[in-house]
Structure formats: C-alpha cells, structure tokens
Amino acid sequence: MTGPIRHLVIVGGGTAGWLAALMLGKTARDHRHDLKITVVESSSIPTIGVGEGTTAVFKTVLDHLGVAEADFLRETRGTIKYGIRHRDWRKVGVTYDGPIDDPHVLVKGADGSEFLNVFSVAAGRPVSRLHLFGFLMKGDLSPYGRDGAGKLIPVGPFQYAYHIDNAAVGRFLRAHAKGVDVVDALVAGTVRGPETGAIESLRFDNGETLAGDFFIDCTGFRRQLIGKEMEGGWISYAEELPVNRAMPFWLDHDPAKDIPTCTLAWARNAGWVWQIPTQDRLGCGYVYSDRFLSSDEARAEIEEALGHPIEPRADIRMSVGRVARPWVKNCLALGLSAGFLEPLEATSIHGTVVQLLVFAEDYMKPPFMPADAAADAYNQRIGRQIDDFRTFINTHYVTERDDTPFWRHVRDNCIHPETRGRLAAWRDHMPKGADFDRYLSGFPHVEAQLYYPVLDGLGLLDRAVAKRETAASPALRKQAREIADSLGRQFAQAAGRAIGHREYLTSL
Ligand SMILES: Cc1cc2nc3c(=O)[nH]c(=O)nc-3n(C[C@H](O)[C@H](O)[C@H](O)COP(=O)(O)OP(=O)(O)OC[C@H]3O[C@@H](n4cnc5c(N)ncnc54)[C@H](O)[C@@H]3O)c2cc1C
C-alpha cells in the first residue's frame, strides 16, 4: 500500500460485513486512527439466514460492542448453547454430547494438560460427564440461579455460546454500527491500478463508482471481489466433506418441554440434520450429499423421520472449501466469501470473528499501511485455521456406520490423510495441548479439549493408552480422581441451583 488506509469499503451487509464494520471501526477508534467505513450491500441479494449456532467467542463480539448479553438475547430472540448433541454418528442408536466448557481451567497449574480427560478415559467414564455444561445441557437449564433476593447469579465460571436467528443478529449489528456509511448498490466490477493491480474503486451496475483504500469482500457465496476480481483461488474440500446441499426448515417448539440448550446434529442416510433453537422456533435443516439423494428424497426422508410434512425454506447449494488466498493486495475476504464448511461445529461465524481479531490485532496497526508480506503471513495462518476446521469436522465421519451408500462412501473415500495421521498419533499417546500449534495469537481455536468429547463419543480413544499414561504417574492419577469426583459433585449442585432455560429467557 502506498499510504495509510483512510477509507475502508466493505462489500456485503450480512453478518460478516457488519461484524467487520463494527470490529475494525473499534480498532481504528482504539488507535485514534481517522477511518471512514462504508458498507455496500445490495437489497436485491438476500443474506444467508438460517437458525445458526455460535461458539463461545461470540461473547467477545458483545464485549466489543459494549452490549449486555441480556439485551442481545432479548432483541435477537437468541438462546443459550452449551454444545452439540451428536445423534446416530457412531452408529444408529448412540448419542454423545460435546459440551464446550473446559474443566481444566479450574485446576491451578493444569497449563494445557488434559489429565482430567485422560483420567476419565482410563476410568471408562464418558469425558462429557466432567463438564458443567453436560449437566446443564441434559436438564435444559439456564446458566443462572437466583440469590435470596431473586437476583440472577451465574452458576458457573464458563463462557457459553448462543443459538441465533442470523437475520435478527444482522439487524442488531447494523443498528449498533454508528458512523458507518451505507450504500445500497450492486457491485458489478472494479477499477484496478494498472501497475499495482490493487482495487482503486468499485463499479456499480448503475455505472457509478466508489473509491476506497482497502476493500473487504463479504459478498457471501458470490465472492464478488476475491473470486471474480482478485483471483484468490479455491481449495476444495469436497472429497473429504461430501455434503453439498442444505434444506432448511422450521419446526415449532414443544410447549410442554423447555427450550433445548444444545444444537442437535442428527446423522441421517446421506448427511445430517441440524436443529437449532431460537426463542420462537427450532431452526432445522438437512445437509446432505446430492450424489446420494435428490432433494425430493431428502424431504421425504425427513418427513418420514419426523412423522409429519415439512416446508423447506430453500435448497442451498454449497461449495465446500476455502479461498486459497483470502487477502490479495488491498482486498480481504471474510465470512462465506472466504470459504465454507458444513455447519457441523459452527466454525463459520467463529472463524470470521477470529479472522477479524487476528487481522485487527496483528495487521491493522499504526500506520495502518499493511505491507504485501503481511498478506502472505495472514493467508498462511488463516489457511491453516480453516484446514484445521476441516480436519476436526472430517474426524466426525470416522464412524462405525456402513448402513447406507453414503456412509460406505465416506468410510472408503473421505477420510483425509491429516485426520488419519492425528488418529494414528492418538493410538500412541492421548491427545494433548502440544499436538496443536498455536499460531492465531492466542485466539480460540480447535484444540484437544474440543476433540476429546468427539473422539470419546465415536469410540476413537484407546482406554489402554489412557491407562498407561495415568499409571505412569500415580500421584497425578490420585489428584485427577479427587478433582474429577469433586467437580462432579460441584457441577451437580450448580445445576441444582440453575433455573430453566425458558424461565431465564422470558425474564430478560
Ligand atoms: C445451511 C447453512 C447453515 C449455517 N449454519 C451456521 C452455523 O450453525 N453457525 C455458523 O457459525 N455459521 C453457519 N452458517 C454460516 C453463516 O450463515 C455465515 O457465516 C454468516 O451468515 C455470514 O454470512 P456472510 O455475511 O458471509 O454472507 P451473506 O449472509 O450471504 O451476505 C452477503 C451479503 O453480500 C451482499 N452482496 C452479495 N453480492 C453483492 C454484490 N455484487 N454487490 C453488493 N452486495 C452484494 C448481499 O446483499 C448480502 O448483504 C451456515 C450457513 C449455511 C449456508
């Protein structure tokens, strides 16, 4: 770049675009940098909006906005999410939970050690039992109890995630983005510097132009700038993540039951069904492979499983993979325009938030003039981040299922070498912090703690290896047993104090 970024132009007014406007606007303000931000969105192209799950990192966004969680949940009709319930993945009839809290943070000096998980596996106990969120999830409980005066008090120290209605969150973010110019226009092309190749201005379909210094492509699956203009390239994950269609539909809540506090991921004949509760409904969808199922068959399968008709809201085609170089010259792709994996572990909005945090922290610094080398480093790190998501999701497909052509295809053709490599290493030692490089400046990423419930639930952890490791340190094994027993008691008591999920949400 030849000068500091003074005008940041974001193309796309979905969740990614507004997150970028808010978070980078804050970065500029924090550095007292005078930055004009324009969001260009087209009212003729809708945003993607299905019921969606976040990860715990979304609280960082609320903190950025200075928004109280109660206001966010009330205004967006969001709910609490403690993790994911995986049904029928290992084999039909087997369910396991993946709570997202990490009990090791309560143990002084644990420092990346997974000794409580190792102990659980050695003792033949499900690792999910070591989690407060496992208790709260089972009871559909809120994370709050009441003190003597009726005031809400948290029952535990862990940060949970949310289930959201993406359209409502988009409106919410937009309302909080003060001082941002908004242009309703369709970007049809760019004017590029003849020597630099950098974008000088956007060309709209009505012939008008808009100049800027740095451009963020948040145009979703269209990838208007990074794909069509800047040749960011594409790395497909279609071989190892074979689902490529999504058929969203809604269901009503069962008024006799509390609102669930987990995402349900229900493995089906040719993919899996998500169920994500907002306050008003269950946002659901069948993500499937059209190589094995037509959309009529997908619909029929779900209607038969549920025992009643559904009204599909769309049948979305998904290109699964990532842009090879999300940052090219003065253009950065974020959100769906940077890539997309099936929504199994809610990696998309999480990835966007972490990418924004990394970009803001490491590259948007005074004098706000990132060098070309910065783009290379960023691309390498973010490419790795999304590859790690791929491997984590791919691991969910290492199952005993072989009851349909889809599952036999997955077993025979879709397990990525990196997944195989990790599993081979974990037949030798139990997963541990050192198995995961930390290259995202400490921002949250897929690590051992997230893998444990999934590996355990799929039967991929070897109890003999865990026993060998615990036997090597009797003192640690004794400590682990005491801590696990004590945490189990504490968590059961904490869950006993928690009020119901619906009661909490309606009290906001
Ligand atoms: C089936 C499905 C399920 C998902 N589930 C989850 C989940 O559980 N958890 C999760 O974290 N994520 C999930 N996601 C991903 C999540 O929806 C996205 O990460 C998030 O909504 C951000 O989308 P976006 O802003 O990148 O794109 P979009 O919402 O598609 O917004 C694109 C914007 O670009 C604008 N635009 C496009 N082209 C142009 C143009 N030429 N000119 C001007 N404007 C243009 C549009 O008007 C729109 O404003 C899911 C996605 C799908 C498809």
Side-chain angles (χ1 to χ4, degrees):
M1 298 215 31
T2 50
I5 302 170
R6 294 280 173 209
H7 185 195
L8 178 71
V9 180
I10 298 165
V11 187
T15 307
W18 285 109
L19 283 173
L22 282 158
M23 293 173 73
L24 297 179
K26 173 158 188 337
T27 303
R29 282 196 302 282
D30 288 350
H31 288 292
R32 299 180 187 284
H33 178 68
D34 185 17
L35 183 71
K36 175 179 156 117
I37 300 182
T38 304
V39 171
V40 180
E41 59 182 349
S42 170
S43 47
S44 62
I45 304 175
T47 57
I48 285 281
V50 295
E52 288 166 29
T54 73
T55 66
V57 82
F58 204 81
K59 179 70 165 54
T60 315
V61 174
L62 298 185
D63 293 344
H64 259 266
L65 295 176
V67 169
E69 173 187 285
D71 295 338
F72 171 74
L73 291 176
R74 191 179 50 248
E75 287 180 37
T76 63
R77 313 292 294 157
T79 66
I80 303 292
K81 168 183 168 184
Y82 297 122
I84 302 175
R85 176 159 296 154
H86 304 259
R87 181 191 291 171
D88 296 342
W89 284 85
R90 180 170 178 179
K91 51 186 166 194
V92 174
V94 174
T95 295
Y96 68 89
D97 286 347
I100 57 173
D101 53 329
D102 181 359
H104 295 86
V105 300
L106 300 181
V107 184
K108 225 168 140 199
D111 292 335
S113 153
E114 293 293 325
F115 76 108
L116 292 174
N117 282 327
V118 178
F119 166 76
S120 290
V121 176
R125 304 179 186 175
V127 298
S128 58
R129 245 199 253 166
L130 262 177
H131 293 251
L132 171 62
F133 285 179
F135 286 83
L136 298 176
M137 207 192 261
K138 282 213 167 69
D140 294 329
L141 294 164
S142 81
Y144 293 93
R146 289 194 190 278
D147 66 9
K151 194 167 156 263
L152 290 171
I153 40 167
V155 298
F158 305 107
Q159 183 53 52
Y160 38 82
Y162 308 108
H163 290 123
I164 57 171
D165 169 346
N166 204 39
V169 170
R171 288 193 294 275
F172 180 87
L173 294 175
R174 188 185 172 137
H176 282 80
K178 307 281 182 237
V180 174
D181 287 353
V182 185
V183 176
D184 184 351
L186 187 77
V187 175
T190 56
V191 178
R192 313 259 298 275
E195 277 167 25
T196 62
I199 302 175
E200 291 180 346
S201 54
L202 300 175
R203 228 174 359 87
F204 299 145
D205 68 336
N206 61 8
E208 289 179 11
T209 58
L210 177 73
D213 302 317
F214 199 88
F215 296 80
I216 302 204
D217 183 351
C218 294
T219 58
F221 288 134
R222 288 169 190 258
R223 305 193 174 100
Q224 182 72 35
L225 301 184
I226 199 71
K228 295 183 184 145
E229 302 285 326
M230 305 306 280
E231 296 173 3
W234 182 249
I235 294 173
S236 170
Y237 298 147
E239 292 298 314
E240 53 271 22
L241 299 176
V243 294
N244 60 356
R245 296 284 278 258
M247 183 184 285
F249 59 94
W250 290 348
L251 296 177
D252 292 333
H253 280 301
D254 179 347
K257 290 188 182 157
D258 211 323
I259 299 175
T261 47
C262 61
T263 302
L264 175 66
W266 179 14
R268 299 291 320 167
N269 291 351
W272 58 277
V273 167
W274 80 80
Q275 185 182 287
I276 285 183
T278 65
Q279 292 186 37
D280 305 307
R281 60 172 176 263
L282 296 169
C284 308
Y286 190 4
V287 269
Y288 64 97
S289 163
D290 62 10
R291 179 170 159 185
F292 295 93
L293 219 55
S294 69
S295 56
D296 286 346
E297 288 167 333
R299 179 181 181 160
E301 183 190 328
I302 297 309
E303 292 185 338
E304 192 189 336
L306 296 175
H308 58 76
I310 58 166
E311 279 180 35
R313 303 178 55 76
D315 190 12
I316 302 165
R317 281 172 203 278
M318 311 182 299
S319 295
V320 179
R322 68 173 172 90
V323 168
R325 292 182 304 141
W327 182 351
V328 180
K329 300 194 185 287
N330 61 342
C331 173
L332 177 78
L334 283 172
L336 296 175
S337 86
F340 182 61
L341 284 68
E342 61 191 88
L344 186 53
E345 284 279 352
T347 54
S348 188
I349 295 171
H350 171 93
T352 304
V353 171
V354 171
Q355 286 156 28
L356 273 163
L357 291 169
V358 167
F359 183 70
E361 177 92 2
D362 294 347
Y363 305 98
M364 275 285 275
K365 286 197 165 145
F368 286 85
M369 210 167 56
D372 286 351
D376 293 342
Y378 175 93
N379 289 338
Q380 204 185 7
R381 295 166 80 193
I382 298 310
R384 181 77 201 281
Q385 178 202 33
I386 306 177
D387 286 350
D388 284 349
F389 292 155
R390 176 217 49 212
T391 303
F392 182 45
I393 291 177
N394 190 233
T395 305
H396 292 64
Y397 285 93
V398 183
T399 90
E400 294 165 29
R401 285 196 68 160
D402 60 0
D403 51 309
T404 65
F406 170 82
W407 287 104
R408 288 191 287 278
H409 167 73
V410 166
R411 180 196 60 196
D412 295 343
N413 305 298
C414 298
I415 306 309
H416 191 272
E418 193 169 287
T419 310
R420 290 187 194 284
R422 283 211 181 273
L423 292 175
W426 294 331
R427 279 192 288 277
D428 183 56
H429 68 265
M430 295 297 285
K432 55 180 191 293
D435 295 330
F436 298 87
D437 292 341
R438 311 210 85 212
Y439 56 90
L440 289 174
S441 301
F443 293 117
H445 191 39
V446 177
E447 290 186 13
Q449 182 56 35
L450 270 183
Y451 263 97
Y452 262 99
V454 175
L455 296 169
D456 192 36
L458 291 170
L460 298 172
L461 293 173
D462 187 340
R463 194 172 169 192
V465 176
K467 279 185 166 173
R468 194 181 67 217
E469 289 189 6
T470 49
S473 175
L476 195 59
R477 178 171 57 187
K478 181 167 174 290
Q479 193 196 5
R481 181 178 297 119
E482 286 166 5
I483 293 173
D485 291 346
S486 154
L487 286 181
R489 282 192 299 276
Q490 286 173 42
F491 291 163
Q493 282 167 6
R497 291 195 300 274
I499 61 171
H501 191 200
R502 186 178 273 119
E503 180 185 345
Y504 167 64
L505 293 170
T506 47
S507 77
L508 298 175

